[in-house]
Amino acid sequence: MRDSEWIDRRCLYLKVQADGMKHDSASSPGVSDQEKEMATNAFEAFKTGSYDVSLKHLDSLQELNKEDYKISMNKAVAEFFKTGQTTTSTLKQTLMFLKNQMHTSVDDSDGLDDVENGNLDYNQAVIHYHMRQYSEAISIGEKLYQFLDPFERFAQAICFLLVDLYLLTFQPEKALHLLAVLEKLTVKEVTNKNSKGESTNNTNKESAAQKAEFTAMIEAAKSKMHQYKVQAYIQMKSLKACKREIKSVMNTTGNSASSLFLKSNFEYLRGNYRKAVKLLNSSNIAEHPGPLKTGECVRCMFWNNLGCIHFAMGKHNLGLFYFKKALQENDHTCAQLGDGSNGPAAKKFTGIPMCALLANKRYELLYNCGIQLLHLGRPLAAFECLMEAVQVYHSNPRLWLRLAECCITANKGSSEQETKGLPCKKGIVQAVVGLGYHRKIVLASQSTQNNIYSEGQSAAIPVASMEFAAICLRNALLLLPEHQQHDSKPDNGSKSCSMESSNETSDACSGKSQEGNKFIPAAPSSPLRKQEVQNLRCSILACSAYVALALGDNLMALNHAEKLLHQTKLSGSLKFLGHLYAAEALISLDRISDAIAHLNPENVTDVSLGVSPSEQDQGSDKGDLEPVESSGKQTPLCYPSSVSSARATMLFNLGSAYCLRSEYEKAHKCLHQAASMVNTKEIPPEAILLGVYLELQNGNTQLALQIIKRNQLLPSVKPVSSPDLHKKPAPFQSSQPVQPIQTPSSFTQVQRK
């Protein structure tokens, strides 16, 4: 399931680093004993939460040394904690002022002298992290990472910060490399501590307490690293490695909420949905301290993850129920935090504790609700949800495709054969006029599926119209990497994505080059891999051709259909639709011979809804996957269920094309050959209308009436005679290709990529 976003339980929440009060001032050369004592007292008061006392000591210290920017930084930090961490914007401005005052920047950190500015840079990175400015935070963190050796006191904090940022930006390889570095630092720290203990031979109670505290800190760090490894392996879908780390997490943390959430996510990826639900239900979320202390709303994550699981099981109504529960819980949490979501407080990041700035998941949940509603056949409600989400995730090409699908579904005909996949007289007979001998049957005219919502308005106004769908699809195509526009040529992997994530600017922490492994960002979902980009492009082109046909832009429809047919690794379903859409466009352009070439039944060899597993990207561990439960997803009833029924559809359309060239005998053969290939209930109403037209053209009025009354094709009573072209002109609607418009819209075809 690629659209619904699984919200992980985060296990690390950073605080502003403030221990420079003691260390930096006291260790500076030329510092008097009085200044050392003041710095020590200020730091001890800060650790105990006595911020007023700490500020008094800092004021006294600043009177003695007015030029030391570190004292000003520590005062800003103490005042920030004094206000309950609710003045994030003010603290950010203060730190920026101090940075400018020093006439340095992160980009100028090219020497060991800049190590002294590590506290200030680290604090800025933490603020960027909580304000969701991940690119800026990564840029600062990677610069600090270069100077880990000179100040190992900050090594663990910087590495944990970068690991969290890499996981948030879906860069698990870099996160795993840093975790390996963290393990080495931890082992080194333990070795140094043991060697110091052996040399001093201290056995008093104080040293024993310090040793116990140090041991607890090391165990907590190891537990964090195991949890981060699980998250990284989950993002990489490396299930074998993840299974090993899950055992370590359960051994170190037991049945805590974090471990159960991670294990549930693991079972979800394996397809064990019932076990994933059971694990979530066993987590004791009632004992969670709450978002004000941890910055996370576990109840919101709980309901969201249940919604994702039921979405994967095909239980969309139940999934929507859980997503709505998650939205309610999120709104309740925001109200507690004083976050109006749209008010001035939210824009200025004031009045909300910094640790809780990441707690609001409203737009991720709206995205999930929109996808769920789209699967439920409620496109207008889905459109409203996704329009809110696109305001934040406007660079996600998949989201623009989903908006276009909402417009397409909302503008499809509401006839019974489309909703249930069965032919009916309602699809043929529009009305009955008169009674008895004077009764007349009014047959359906041309397709009425193109309902124009925005008549008299600009197409750019966000309304669920086909015009707006065309704009959405254009946006989606523009957001895909430019160098893959011509997928007919094999990709040698030597080119890089033009839409590469801005977060992947440095390989300093990756340990290896990322060449050939570029992803396209698609927040809030995981980035798009190479094969997913190709599949997405095919889906967008299919939708674009369909929308252009509905809008009457036949040249553009033909262009999109031909591009679709030239894509590599094209699924059978989209290839089938590409031929149909190209044929319809060509017929409308009066290029009947070219259309007949596309309608050749031999063009259809596969109608599967996805690319075969052998053609998938080899980036994930295919051997790790175990047999999964049935997801409940089925092929739409209105779509051809087999190659024979798809070829029958091509023959129905081919018969219509022959009618336009007045080759009625060929059309009659195509019609009855197609009818013999499918069940009577699978014959579309347009094919029955074509049969009526052919019988009228041949003068078989009684047989035409029987076809209408029985709503089924009948064998001919007499041989097909030569048509008299001057006797009865073909009605306009019968000159259109009968099936492409009535084939399922591209929304039905592009759900699995």
Side-chain angles (χ1 to χ4, degrees):
M1 176 195 56
R2 298 311 309 271
D3 281 304
S4 291
E5 172 71 2
W6 181 286
I7 300 177
D8 289 324
R9 185 194 187 282
R10 309 302 300 173
C11 55
L12 175 64
Y13 290 88
L14 302 173
K15 296 182 180 179
V16 175
Q17 182 69 28
D19 61 356
M21 295 177 183
K22 178 180 177 182
H23 174 75
D24 293 325
S25 297
S27 61
S28 300
V31 177
S32 64
D33 293 338
Q34 183 182 4
E35 290 176 331
K36 291 181 181 180
E37 184 180 358
M38 288 181 181
T40 302
N41 293 336
F43 182 59
E44 293 298 330
F46 179 85
K47 287 199 300 182
T48 59
S50 303
Y51 304 120
D52 289 327
V53 177
S54 179
L55 285 169
K56 288 181 181 179
H57 289 299
L58 289 172
D59 288 336
S60 302
L61 188 60
Q62 194 168 36
E63 291 178 1
L64 298 175
N65 192 350
K66 296 183 179 180
E67 296 182 357
D68 193 348
Y69 80 94
K70 299 173 186 176
I71 301 175
S72 300
M73 181 192 69
N74 290 331
K75 283 182 62 179
V77 170
E79 289 173 354
F80 173 71
F81 276 87
K82 181 182 176 181
T83 61
Q85 305 183 42
T86 57
T87 55
T88 307
S89 182
T90 303
L91 178 62
K92 181 182 179 183
Q93 293 175 2
T94 303
L95 295 179
M96 285 297 297
F97 174 77
L98 292 173
K99 193 71 175 177
N100 294 333
Q101 194 176 30
M102 295 163 52
H103 302 289
T104 62
S105 65
V106 176
D107 296 331
D108 299 328
S109 301
D110 53 358
L112 296 181
D113 294 337
D114 294 315
V115 171
E116 292 295 325
N117 306 326
N119 285 334
L120 179 57
D121 294 335
Y122 177 81
N123 288 346
Q124 286 183 308
V126 170
I127 292 175
H128 285 308
Y129 164 82
H130 285 286
M131 297 177 75
R132 305 181 192 237
Q133 298 167 352
Y134 302 132
S135 298
E136 292 85 349
I138 288 177
S139 178
I140 295 173
E142 289 181 346
K143 290 292 182 181
L144 291 175
Y145 177 83
Q146 299 175 13
F147 308 112
L148 275 180
D149 291 337
F151 56 110
E152 289 185 356
R153 278 169 19 89
F154 293 128
Q156 191 180 71
I158 293 168
C159 286
F160 273 129
L161 172 62
L162 279 174
V163 168
D164 222 346
L165 288 166
Y166 286 145
L167 290 176
L168 284 169
T169 54
F170 297 97
Q171 302 180 64
E173 292 85 359
K174 289 185 176 183
L176 287 173
H177 174 75
L178 271 184
L179 289 171
V181 174
L182 271 170
E183 288 181 341
K184 293 180 181 179
L185 289 175
T186 303
V187 172
K188 185 178 180 181
E189 192 172 355
V190 171
T191 304
N192 293 339
K193 189 73 174 180
N194 292 335
S195 62
K196 289 181 181 179
E198 291 175 359
S199 61
T200 57
N201 292 323
N202 291 329
T203 58
N204 53 33
K205 294 182 179 180
E206 183 178 352
S207 62
Q210 291 178 353
K211 185 176 181 180
E213 182 180 356
F214 176 76
T215 304
M217 182 184 68
I218 293 299
E219 291 300 323
K222 289 182 179 179
S223 177
K224 286 181 181 179
M225 286 187 279
H226 285 306
Q227 293 185 46
Y228 277 131
K229 284 184 180 180
V230 172
Q231 294 182 51
Y233 288 133
I234 283 176
Q235 288 189 7
M236 297 170 65
K237 294 183 174 57
S238 181
L239 300 185
K240 285 183 179 178
C242 185
K243 188 174 183 179
R244 292 194 300 267
E245 289 299 327
I246 282 285
K247 293 180 180 178
S248 300
V249 169
M250 299 303 292
N251 291 333
T252 55
T253 62
N255 290 331
S256 63
S258 59
S259 60
L260 289 174
F261 268 59
L262 289 172
K263 191 172 183 180
S264 175
N265 198 340
F266 169 69
E267 296 296 342
Y268 163 80
L269 288 180
R270 297 175 69 190
N272 298 332
Y273 303 125
R274 296 183 185 277
K275 189 172 182 180
V277 172
K278 185 178 179 180
L279 287 167
L280 279 179
N281 289 330
S282 63
S283 60
N284 193 357
I285 60 177
E287 296 181 357
H288 192 265
L292 285 173
K293 292 185 178 180
T294 62
E296 61 184 5
C297 179
V298 175
R299 295 184 65 85
C300 173
M301 299 177 190
F302 172 79
W303 294 118
N304 173 82
N305 293 350
L306 279 179
C308 290
I309 294 171
H310 286 87
F311 173 88
M313 295 171 69
K315 299 179 180 180
H316 300 305
N317 282 297
L318 196 53
L320 180 62
F321 169 77
Y322 289 129
F323 284 141
K324 287 184 177 179
K325 292 278 288 184
L327 268 173
Q328 293 172 1
E329 200 67 44
N330 185 78
D331 293 342
H332 178 66
T333 300
C334 291
Q336 283 184 326
L337 299 174
D339 182 3
S341 296
N342 295 316
K347 295 180 181 179
K348 297 180 180 179
F349 299 99
T350 57
I352 309 167
M354 186 184 70
C355 67
L357 290 176
L358 294 174
N360 188 357
K361 303 292 183 182
R362 174 174 176 78
Y363 294 100
E364 292 94 325
L365 295 171
L366 284 172
Y367 184 92
N368 288 354
C369 283
I371 300 301
Q372 197 75 273
L373 287 165
L374 192 56
H375 280 77
L376 281 172
R378 297 171 58 185
L380 295 179
F383 183 82
E384 297 297 326
C385 291
L386 295 179
M387 276 307 302
E388 282 198 57
V390 82
Q391 298 175 38
V392 177
Y393 303 115
H394 48 78
S395 61
N396 184 349
R398 189 190 286 120
L399 179 52
W400 286 108
L401 173 61
R402 300 300 176 226
L403 278 169
E405 291 172 352
C406 290
C407 300
I408 291 171
T409 309
N411 285 272
K412 284 201 316 179
S414 58
S415 58
E416 185 179 346
Q417 77 273 9
E418 284 185 305
T419 57
K420 294 185 178 180
L422 300 174
C424 62
K425 288 188 178 181
K426 187 178 179 181
I428 303 173
V429 179
Q430 187 175 21
V432 178
V433 181
L435 297 173
Y437 291 106
H438 302 286
R439 186 180 66 168
K440 295 184 180 296
I441 298 174
V442 181
L443 299 182
S445 60
Q446 62 185 10
S447 176
T448 58
Q449 72 170 8
N450 183 23
N451 300 321
I452 301 177
Y453 284 80
S454 58
E455 186 175 359
Q457 299 179 351
S458 171
I461 295 177
V463 180
S465 63
M466 298 298 273
E467 292 85 354
F468 188 71
I471 294 176
C472 293
L473 293 168
R474 195 176 306 124
N475 291 345
L477 275 177
L478 290 173
L479 287 170
L480 293 180
E482 189 70 23
H483 76 279
Q484 291 185 359
Q485 289 289 348
H486 304 287
D487 283 336
S488 57
K489 298 180 180 180
D491 186 8
N492 56 12
S494 60
K495 300 179 181 179
S496 60
C497 297
S498 61
M499 291 292 293
E500 175 190 353
S501 172
S502 60
N503 295 327
E504 298 183 8
T505 57
S506 173
D507 289 329
C509 300
S510 64
K512 60 180 179 179
S513 174
Q514 299 293 324
E515 187 68 27
N517 196 24
K518 306 294 185 183
F519 298 142
I520 307 303
S525 302
S526 58
L528 298 169
R529 296 176 181 267
K530 178 183 175 182
Q531 182 58 52
E532 292 168 339
V533 171
Q534 294 175 353
N535 294 343
L536 184 62
R537 188 187 307 282
C538 294
S539 300
I540 295 172
L541 289 172
C543 282
S544 299
Y546 179 88
V547 169
L549 285 173
L551 294 174
D553 192 349
N554 299 304
L555 280 174
M556 186 60 69
L558 179 61
N559 182 33
H560 289 310
E562 288 180 343
K563 282 184 178 180
L564 174 64
L565 292 173
H566 282 86
Q567 299 298 309
T568 58
K569 298 183 180 180
L570 183 64
S571 66
S573 61
L574 294 183
K575 183 179 180 181
F576 166 65
L577 289 178
H579 283 297
L580 283 180
Y581 295 160
E584 182 173 354
L586 287 167
I587 287 176
S588 299
L589 294 170
D590 200 24
R591 294 167 56 183
I592 310 300
S593 298
D594 294 335
I596 288 175
H598 280 283
L599 293 173
N600 185 354
E602 299 300 322
N603 290 334
V604 181
T605 57
D606 180 27
V607 290
S608 60
L609 297 178
V611 180
S612 61
S614 60
E615 297 178 353
Q616 291 291 338
D617 187 23
Q618 301 298 322
S620 60
D621 297 334
K622 296 293 184 297
D624 292 348
L625 301 179
E626 299 183 9
V628 299
E629 300 175 14
S630 175
S631 63
K633 297 179 181 179
Q634 298 178 351
T635 302
L637 291 175
C638 53
Y639 185 79
S641 57
S642 63
V643 174
S644 61
S645 59
R647 289 182 174 180
T649 300
M650 299 289 272
L651 285 169
F652 285 135
N653 286 276
L654 185 59
S656 178
Y658 281 133
C659 277
L660 296 177
R661 295 207 309 191
S662 301
E663 298 178 2
Y664 301 114
E665 185 174 355
K666 289 184 178 180
H668 198 276
K669 289 181 179 179
C670 288
L671 187 64
H672 284 274
Q673 182 182 352
S676 64
M677 297 171 65
V678 295
N679 190 286
T680 305
K681 294 183 178 180
E682 296 181 8
I683 298 176
E686 292 82 2
I688 295 177
L689 283 176
L690 178 61
V692 172
Y693 172 70
L694 288 174
E695 297 303 335
L696 290 175
Q697 194 68 35
N698 293 327
N700 299 331
T701 306
Q702 294 298 322
L703 189 56
L705 287 174
Q706 290 184 42
I707 292 175
I708 295 173
K709 291 178 180 179
R710 297 187 183 183
N711 191 34
Q712 62 182 12
L713 293 173
L714 299 174
S716 300
V717 175
K718 56 183 178 180
V720 179
S721 59
S722 300
D724 186 355
L725 299 181
H726 302 285
K727 182 177 181 181
K728 183 181 286 292
F732 173 76
Q733 62 269 23
S734 294
S735 65
Q736 301 297 321
V738 295
Q739 188 61 18
I741 290 295
Q742 291 300 327
T743 55
S745 69
S746 47
F747 159 65
T748 309
Q749 309 310 320
V750 299
Q751 292 310 301
R752 298 181 182 177
K753 288 181 281 298

